[in-house]
């Protein structure tokens, strides 16, 4: 039988903005699907009514689009509640879901007791032995049950496409709560129903879901014993330079922050695509990355998010951008010649503004008394307009010929007088952009 076509999903919860950690999962799922001619579903995990917000759903879509990620279809879990209720009913019939009444406080007290006895914090299944009379009495007291999935005995094993062979003893896992007392289903369960219904072939997500995977495989088998399981790939979570995990709630690394800081979406996507893999980041588009994308390249250790590496990649991305790609984000009036003159000298596109000021605005050159004589010669030998890329060379050769000054002693005072900076784009490109009048004015100010 031919293998089924690849179908993956990216499943964010709309409870906050996308951050680097979950954006990386989006990138990886996208590249995996594209590289294999498969499909990507955007699944909005919004069954937590209290924390899910439509604004976040919209923001997630905008942020994915900014990053260059498209999806083939979108599913919202809150639109599928009837289906989850039906699946829950079937599990109730086979005794795999059982009602529970313990409060958070009671459960916490049990955990504390187990901790004292050095036992793992696994739920003791007390409610499994609830009699129909006890249940009726609890309900008569106004209590509504929530429901747990009864895990099988034994262990669940799978060959993880990133982290290798895994084997989890189910006795170390609590029977997961799958339906809350208010009737809303929890992600652990709804995800299985969706993955089955949609025929998801590969579940690619963060390593924080490893234990869920064991419980979920057990649920797959309970819901559809004859269906093949999807493959699983768990990516180690990103650590920051400090070693902290990127938290979903930590605004500091949201995609919006990168965007506000001027990081190019292509640089971020390319960085995330290779982060934690054996391949170095390269300034490639997602389309280019998809062709050679391979889950095998990911390492098992937690990757470090290195902002300097991202910035270096951003710089390389900018250097390769044609004028048309950035024109609408450049300062008003900036033209192609300006872009070509500065693009090798910026880490972030926002720095273009500073060089535009240097070209067209006012600068404050430092006083250069020791270079006064040379700058006066420079003023006197300034070629006539029109200027082009060759003007700089012609001019500096003339100054050198009449003063005998060469190298740094020549270029540095000129650069300082003309730009107010010790470093920057090639003056050969900048000079014609400034124009003769501006250059004359600056030289005169420098020798005043
Ligand atoms: N909504 C879950 C999360 O954001 C999805 C995990 C999964 O991919 O199954 O962690």
């Amino acid at each position: 039988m031919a293998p089924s076509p690849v179908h993956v999903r990216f499943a964010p919860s709309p409870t906050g903005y996308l951050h680097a950690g979950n954006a990386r999962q989006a990138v990886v799922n996208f590249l995996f699907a594209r590289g294999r001619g498969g499909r990507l579903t955007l699944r909005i995990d919004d069954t937590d009514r209290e924390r899910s917000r439509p604004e976040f759903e919209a923001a997630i879509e905008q942020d994915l689009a900014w990053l260059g990620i498209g999806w083939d279809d979108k599913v919202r879990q809150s639109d599928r509640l009837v289906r989850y209720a039906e699946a829950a009913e079937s599990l109730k019939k086979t005794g795999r879901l059982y009602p529970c009444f313990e409060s958070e406080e009671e459960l916490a007290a049990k955990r504390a007791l187990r901790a004292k006895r050095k036992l793992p914090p696994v739920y003791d299944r007390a409610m499994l032995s609830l009699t129909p009379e006890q249940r009726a009495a609890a309900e008569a007291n106004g209590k509504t049950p929530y429901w747990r999935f009864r895990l099988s005995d034994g262990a669940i094993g799978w060959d993880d496409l990133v982290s290798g062979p895994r084997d989890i003893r189910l006795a170390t896992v609590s029977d997961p709560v799958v339906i809350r007392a208010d009737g809303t289903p929890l992600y652990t369960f709804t995800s299985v129903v969706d993955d089955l219904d949609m025929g998801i072939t590969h579940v690619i997500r963060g390593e924080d879901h490893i234990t869920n995977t064991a419980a979920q495989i057990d649920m797959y088998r309970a819901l559809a014993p004859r269906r093949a399981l999807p493959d699983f790939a768990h990516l180690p979570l990103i650590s920051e330079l400090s070693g902290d995990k990127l938290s979903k709630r930590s605004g500091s690394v949201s995609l919006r922050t990168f965007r506000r800081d001027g990081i190019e979406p292509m640089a971020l996507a390319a960085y995330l695509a290779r982060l934690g893999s054996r391949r170095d980041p390269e300034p490639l588009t997602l389309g280019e990355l998809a062709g050679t994308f391979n889950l095998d390249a990911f390492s098992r250790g937690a990757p470090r998010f290195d902002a300097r590496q991202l910035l270096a990649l951003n710089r390389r991305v900018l250097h390769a951008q044609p004028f048309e790609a950035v024109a609408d984000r450049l300062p008003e009036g900036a033209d192609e010649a300006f872009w070509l003159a500065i693009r090798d000298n910026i880490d972030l596109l926002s720095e273009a503004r500073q060089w535009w000021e240097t070209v067209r605005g006012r600068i404050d050159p430092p006083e250069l008394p020791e270079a006064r004589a040379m700058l006066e010669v420079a003023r006197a030998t300034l070629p006539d307009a029109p200027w082009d890329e060759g003007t700089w060379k012609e001019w500096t050769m003339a100054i050198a010929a009449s003063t005998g000054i060469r190298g740094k002693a020549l270029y540095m005072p000129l650069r300082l007088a003309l730009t107010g900076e010790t470093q920057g784009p090639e003056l050969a490109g900048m000079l014609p952009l400034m124009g003769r009048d501006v250059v004359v004015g600056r030289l005169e100010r420098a020798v005043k």
Side-chain angles (χ1 to χ4, degrees), residues 18-169:
L18 280 188
H19 58 78
N22 48 26
R24 172 177 177 237
Q25 285 158 35
V27 167
V28 168
N29 274 288
F30 176 84
L31 292 176
F32 186 78
R34 285 293 171 278
R36 295 173 170 224
R39 297 170 59 76
L40 170 66
T41 293
L42 172 62
R43 192 182 81 200
I44 303 294
D45 284 3
D46 60 348
T47 58
D48 183 341
R49 283 194 292 219
E50 253 162 54
R51 294 180 51 226
S52 299
R53 300 237 295 273
E55 308 86 272
F56 287 131
E57 181 180 328
I60 287 169
E61 290 190 43
Q62 281 162 9
D63 291 352
L64 288 174
W66 173 74
L67 207 54
I69 292 182
W71 48 94
D72 298 293
D73 58 347
K74 178 183 149 188
V75 175
R76 204 184 277 120
Q77 289 197 321
S78 58
D79 291 337
R80 289 177 40 82
L81 296 175
V82 175
R83 172 69 188 112
Y84 305 136
E86 186 185 290
E89 271 323 301
S90 77
L91 291 179
K92 284 180 191 171
K93 283 209 185 88
T94 54
R96 293 303 293 272
L97 295 196
Y98 61 96
C100 297
F101 291 96
E102 289 127 325
S103 65
E104 255 320 307
E105 294 73 35
E106 284 169 293
L107 293 172
K110 284 190 188 197
R111 278 194 298 269
L113 205 63
R114 286 180 73 88
K116 243 190 190 160
R117 296 189 194 139
K118 308 240 181 306
L119 292 170
V122 179
Y123 176 59
D124 64 7
R125 292 182 164 162
M127 289 287 138
L128 256 187
S129 42
L130 196 73
T131 62
E133 294 73 35
Q134 285 168 321
R135 177 176 171 184
E139 284 177 333
N141 275 335
K143 285 193 177 171
T144 324
Y146 56 91
W147 298 77
R148 286 187 192 263
F149 176 76
R150 190 195 190 296
L151 293 170
S152 311
D153 302 326
I156 296 279
W158 72 95
D159 203 2
D160 198 282
L161 297 182
V162 169
S163 68
R166 309 294 303 216
D167 198 48
I168 296 194
R169 272 197 321 118

Side-chain angles (χ1 to χ4, degrees), residues 9 11-13 43 45 187 191 203-205 209 248:
R9 81 293 195 287
S13 307
R43 192 182 81 200
D45 284 3
Y187 143 78
S191 182
V203 173
I204 307 171
R205 58 186 178 182
H209 286 291
K248 204 175 249 187

Side-chain angles (χ1 to χ4, degrees), residues 377-385 387 391 395 431 436-437 439-440 443:
V377 175
R379 161 75 186 89
T381 50
L382 202 56
D384 289 332
W387 283 359
T391 305
W395 183 36
L431 211 58
R436 202 171 190 283
D437 292 345
V439 171
V440 169
L443 289 172

